[in-house]
Amino acid sequence: MKNKSYIGISLIILIFGIIFIPRIVDRIKNGSVVQNDRMSLSHEIIKEPSLVKIGPAPKFELTDQNNVKISNKEYVGKVYVLEFFFSTCPSICPVMNKNMVEIQNEFSKNGNFGIASITINPENDTAAVLKKHATEIGATSSNWHFLTGDKAYILGLANKGFNLFAAENGKVNGGFEHSGLFALIDKQGNIRCRKDKQGNPILYYDGLEQSGVKAIKEDIKLLLEE
């Protein structure tokens, strides 16, 4: 009896193999074994944006190096990078300047990219001073505005608006201290960023390290394609 049972089971397995294995092989070859066996809810999956949307960037209106009033509206439809700096900064600003010029040059042929550099020492950094500074560091893009205005307004914009540290401090070399971070803003005026290795939004990009410059250039390209 046992032998008959084994023969019967073997016959069933043989028949299964003859009928179904060729079908499975064909499905693997054309990829349908993956497509058809997924959950039926797969069509409801919505592709998430590749960069996190933090929220709308603060509004501003200041005067640029050409003595022209420039507001955030000037950048609507453009992807842009924003920083706080001052022209006589003896510490981190020269590095930020160099890296921002590198970013400018990467996208020099794209009219939908811009830069906003806002001075935190407007008493010294008049429009004329900023125009000279722009020439000295190699800022050639017509979409790169060096902005000046009321000091209290600018410091409030940095600290309360963008939450990027900037302060007057007579005890430090240069009289001011500030963050070396760059903000990335999309065509709709939203602050955007990537996530870190732990899955947390980085908020802003390191404007002092090449790793930060490389990251922001990669993400500018993504936003320009949106």
Side-chain angles (χ1 to χ4, degrees), residues 62-71 74 127 145-147:
L62 295 160
T63 302
D64 77 355
Q65 70 269 32
N66 297 311
N67 217 18
V68 175
K69 288 286 185 184
I70 299 293
S71 74
E74 179 72 23
H145 299 282
F146 291 81
L147 302 169

Side-chain angles (χ1 to χ4, degrees), residues 60 63-68 70-71 74-75 78-86 93-108 110-119 127 130-148 182 207:
F60 61 85
T63 302
D64 77 355
Q65 70 269 32
N66 297 311
N67 217 18
V68 175
I70 299 293
S71 74
E74 179 72 23
Y75 293 94
K78 295 182 178 69
V79 175
Y80 70 103
V81 179
L82 181 144
E83 66 171 346
F84 292 91
F85 84 111
F86 61 109
C93 289
V95 179
M96 295 171 69
N97 290 338
K98 174 179 173 293
N99 290 337
M100 196 67 89
V101 169
E102 180 182 333
I103 294 169
Q104 169 201 245
N105 294 341
E106 179 81 12
F107 302 98
S108 60
N110 196 315
N112 291 325
F113 175 71
I115 301 172
S117 295
I118 303 175
T119 178
L130 290 177
K131 188 161 189 173
K132 181 182 177 183
H133 176 74
T135 301
E136 289 174 347
I137 69 169
T140 57
S141 171
S142 59
N143 287 332
W144 189 346
H145 299 282
F146 291 81
L147 302 169
T148 188
F182 293 162

Side-chain angles (χ1 to χ4, degrees), residues 15-83:
I15 294 171
F16 177 85
I18 292 171
I19 296 174
F20 292 103
I21 288 178
R23 296 181 185 179
I24 293 171
V25 171
D26 289 339
R27 291 178 68 192
I28 290 172
K29 284 181 179 179
N30 62 33
S32 63
V33 71
V34 175
Q35 295 168 3
N36 295 337
D37 293 340
R38 283 177 178 165
M39 292 179 63
S40 60
L41 294 177
S42 61
H43 69 280
E44 297 179 6
I45 296 174
I46 299 172
K47 185 179 179 182
E48 294 183 1
S50 56
L51 297 177
V52 180
K53 185 184 293 185
I54 302 301
K59 297 178 181 179
F60 61 85
E61 184 176 81
L62 295 160
T63 302
D64 77 355
Q65 70 269 32
N66 297 311
N67 217 18
V68 175
K69 288 286 185 184
I70 299 293
S71 74
N72 56 290
K73 293 179 182 178
E74 179 72 23
Y75 293 94
V76 173
K78 295 182 178 69
V79 175
Y80 70 103
V81 179
L82 181 144
E83 66 171 346

